[in-house]
Amino acid sequence: MSPRRLDSTLDPAVLDQLRRIVGPEHVLVSDGDVEPYARDATPLFRARPDAVVMPATSAEVARILRLATEQGIPVVPRGAGSNLAAATVPTLGGIVLVLTRMRAIREVSADELLAVVEPGVTTLELSNAAEAKGLLYAPDPGSRTVSTVAGNVAMCAGGLRGLKYGVTRNYVLGLEAVLPTGEVIRTGGRLWKDVAGYDLTRLLTGSEGTLAVITEVTVALLPLPAVARTGVAYFPTLADAGRAVAGVISDGIVPATLEFLDNPCINAVEDFAKLGLDRSAGALLLFGDDGSEASVTRSLEIMAGVCERTGARAVTMARDVAESEALLTARRCSLPALARLAPITLLEDASVPRPKIAEMVDRINAIAARHNVVCATFGHAGDGNLHPTIVFDPADGDVQQRAEAAFADVFDAAIELGGTITGEHGVGSAKLPYLEKRLGADQLALLRRLKRAFDPAGILNPGKLGS
Ligand SMILES: Cc1cc2nc3c(=O)[nH]c(=O)nc-3n(C[C@H](O)[C@H](O)[C@H](O)COP(=O)(O)OP(=O)(O)OC[C@H]3O[C@@H](n4cnc5c(N)ncnc54)[C@H](O)[C@@H]3O)c2cc1C
């Protein structure tokens, strides 16, 4: 059975059943009520859902999914809708299933170094709950104040600490998930060692809401580092900053933070946040580490030394936590700062092997010039993950087509340099046209067969991964 779009509204009998499952106040159908769920944080994508349904338990999720499979109704799971890949836009209409009513932190265990949370808990709420017990939840996407833990799992979100600590997948120990056919499964769990069966926890991590609905997440925690410190170096060019990154790693340091901003980005952030950044620098490198006082002092000294050796014209260390936070703000506010420059901000997410960063940035700048678009780039220098960002006014002729053509070239360049079309933001609808280039036809066909095994009626987030 393939999902069908039911005219402009769902069958009244289906709506009645949904209202009986979650309560009438948790089913939205009017234009005004469903409009916010027609889009996510990705510009240029929009599709109206027929209904928005907000369950409170996994049993309710199971009943909704069973009904949807019986009726062939598309269901799009949604957390905060902060993804940047149009992954929650209900392309074929149907139900947007919002999980944010399920937001209990069920457990934070210092003995077992883990936490168990419902899907709608925000990343920051989980981090704060861990911190209150002297523990660290390491993944820290820039959207952590709003993004949900299940949304992070479903996108395998990264963040500013990816180089040293890895990404969300490195912390997911177990999941409770509801299959589109209504069965509730538990994958993994509290065990640090468990190799019974295929690793479905990993498969569901990054599955972008296309295989199952996640209703509980068990994550690994770490002891909270004693101190965390940050410094900043300004370079004449991004190539110089790239050499500093290579030097840091070859000096045996794997820092918690190694982020860069190019010149247009520095200026946009300075206009926005007034942090006192050097507007004339070609590139800014933010470096930081955490751990014991002695190890952090040593690694920051080594990183500062490498920056000086590779041509930094100024290197400054934050003197206290407040100054460190101000520097991290420069990186965290890059996207909102660029978004002020023009009505549309298209942020991309290519990744290349670390030694290729400077070459990739050169290629991005050449591509932007060729297509005559305004592009600024920032990103995670330590893990080769770049966020070229094109800003434009759609009233400006064919600029949107030029921006899209530029990004197609950026993805080709990333693949050519041994990289990928998305390092952390996921595929969604936005990157689906480029997926075959990255995976090849055989792997794409396998993805489709896996999708059918989980979701025989094809109701879960259709038009995305596995379609
Ligand atoms: C300012 C800003 C900064 C950002 N910074 C980063 C960053 O540093 N790193 C990074 O990786 N991303 C970043 N993002 C992107 C985004 O925040 C992440 O992709 C995040 O993981 C999405 O979480 P969410 O709760 O908003 O999920 P949503 O956007 O609601 O959904 C994302 C995907 O998860 C699926 N999903 C949601 N909940 C469930 C569930 N319970 N079960 C199954 N599937 C589900 C959806 O179907 C969709 O495919 C940023 C976004 C913004 C706007």
Side-chain angles (χ1 to χ4, degrees):
M1 199 192 324
S2 39
R4 61 196 155 89
R5 175 160 178 120
L6 303 171
D7 299 331
S8 57
T9 52
L10 289 178
D11 186 321
V14 170
L15 278 177
D16 278 349
Q17 290 190 61
L18 291 169
R19 289 187 180 111
R20 274 200 298 277
I21 295 170
V22 295
E25 68 278 31
H26 302 302
V27 178
L28 313 177
V29 288
S30 75
D31 283 347
D33 284 345
V34 304
E35 179 55 30
Y37 303 92
R39 51 185 96 239
D40 49 35
T42 326
L44 307 174
F45 289 83
R46 183 194 174 279
R48 184 197 191 280
D50 297 307
V52 174
V53 180
M54 301 174 175
T57 64
S58 52
E60 290 179 4
V61 173
R63 289 174 66 194
I64 295 163
L65 291 185
R66 216 172 289 126
L67 175 66
T69 284
E70 277 164 21
Q71 300 288 325
I73 302 166
V75 175
V76 179
R78 179 175 168 122
S82 73
N83 77 87
L84 295 161
T88 47
V89 174
T91 320
L92 301 186
I95 296 168
V96 169
L97 191 73
V98 179
L99 280 306
T100 48
R101 283 180 68 214
M102 298 177 68
R103 60 186 309 154
I105 295 179
R106 292 190 174 152
E107 184 182 352
V108 177
S109 167
D111 294 337
E112 288 186 82
L113 288 177
L114 59 79
V116 182
V117 301
E118 290 189 345
V121 169
T122 68
T123 322
L124 187 63
E125 286 165 349
L126 169 56
S127 298
N128 288 344
E131 211 171 307
K133 293 209 171 181
L135 301 170
L136 172 75
Y137 177 61
D140 66 337
S143 51
R144 67 200 176 129
T145 52
V146 294
S147 67
T148 65
V149 175
N152 292 166
V153 174
M155 298 308 272
C156 191
L160 269 60
R161 292 194 279 237
L163 176 62
K164 179 170 178 176
Y165 288 105
V167 296
T168 302
R169 81 160 66 81
N170 303 105
Y171 295 88
V172 185
L173 288 174
L175 297 171
E176 179 191 82
V178 185
L179 300 178
T181 35
E183 301 93 328
V184 181
I185 59 166
R186 282 190 165 271
T187 71
R190 312 170 71 96
L191 302 172
W192 290 77
K193 293 177 87 172
D194 179 4
V195 291
Y198 293 140
D199 193 344
L200 296 181
T201 310
R202 279 251 171 162
L203 181 58
L204 292 179
T205 304
S207 64
E208 302 193 5
T210 61
L211 300 181
V213 176
I214 297 161
T215 47
E216 186 189 275
V217 184
T218 302
V219 294
L221 305 173
L222 298 168
L224 199 62
V227 292
R229 265 197 223 113
T230 313
V232 63
Y234 293 98
F235 291 88
T237 68
L238 202 94
D240 299 323
R243 274 201 300 281
V245 172
V248 165
I249 307 291
S250 65
D251 268 19
I253 305 288
V254 181
T257 305
L258 205 48
E259 301 282 316
F260 80 92
L261 274 62
D262 72 359
N263 175 273
C265 216
I266 295 171
N267 279 286
V269 167
E270 190 53 26
D271 287 341
F272 178 63
K274 311 264 182 299
L275 298 167
L277 307 179
D278 176 355
R279 288 174 177 277
S280 67
L284 171 164
L285 190 67
L286 198 62
F287 55 92
D289 207 359
D290 58 13
S292 68
E293 178 73 47
S295 76
V296 172
T297 303
R298 180 180 166 273
S299 88
L300 260 79
E301 273 168 9
I302 292 176
M303 288 193 278
V306 171
C307 290
E308 279 157 5
R309 274 203 316 277
T310 50
R313 58 190 209 198
V315 182
T316 316
M317 307 284 212
R319 276 166 304 194
D320 50 31
V321 176
E323 275 189 21
S324 274
E325 272 308 307
L327 289 176
L328 288 169
T329 303
R331 170 58 186 85
R332 288 209 175 97
C333 74
S334 300
L335 177 55
L338 290 167
R340 293 165 77 235
L341 300 183
I344 300 287
T345 310
L346 288 187
L347 170 86
E348 268 312 339
D349 175 38
S351 260
V352 291
R354 203 182 299 123
K356 304 279 186 187
I357 290 177
E359 186 177 347
M360 184 64 192
V361 173
D362 282 348
R363 293 230 198 163
I364 290 169
N365 290 339
I367 290 167
R370 198 164 64 243
H371 292 278
N372 189 22
V373 288
V374 177
C375 183
T377 302
F378 60 96
H380 313 284
D383 41 42
N385 187 198
L386 306 161
H387 295 313
T389 304
I390 296 180
V391 292
F392 65 86
D393 183 344
D396 177 12
D398 63 350
V399 66
Q400 186 178 322
Q401 288 90 317
R402 280 187 277 122
E404 286 165 356
F407 277 136
D409 288 355
V410 166
F411 300 140
D412 282 345
I415 290 173
E416 222 177 283
L417 294 178
T420 185
I421 59 171
T422 173
E424 59 179 11
H425 291 168
V427 175
S429 295
K431 235 78 76 76
L432 200 59
Y434 308 100
L435 191 60
E436 187 168 348
K437 275 192 180 164
R438 171 68 182 120
L439 299 185
D442 289 344
Q443 210 181 141
L444 203 59
L446 176 61
L447 250 64
R448 291 185 179 128
R449 292 200 295 278
L450 279 169
K451 162 77 175 169
R452 276 203 297 281
F454 276 79
D455 182 14
I459 58 145
L460 210 53
N461 213 350
K464 315 280 171 43
L465 269 186
S467 299

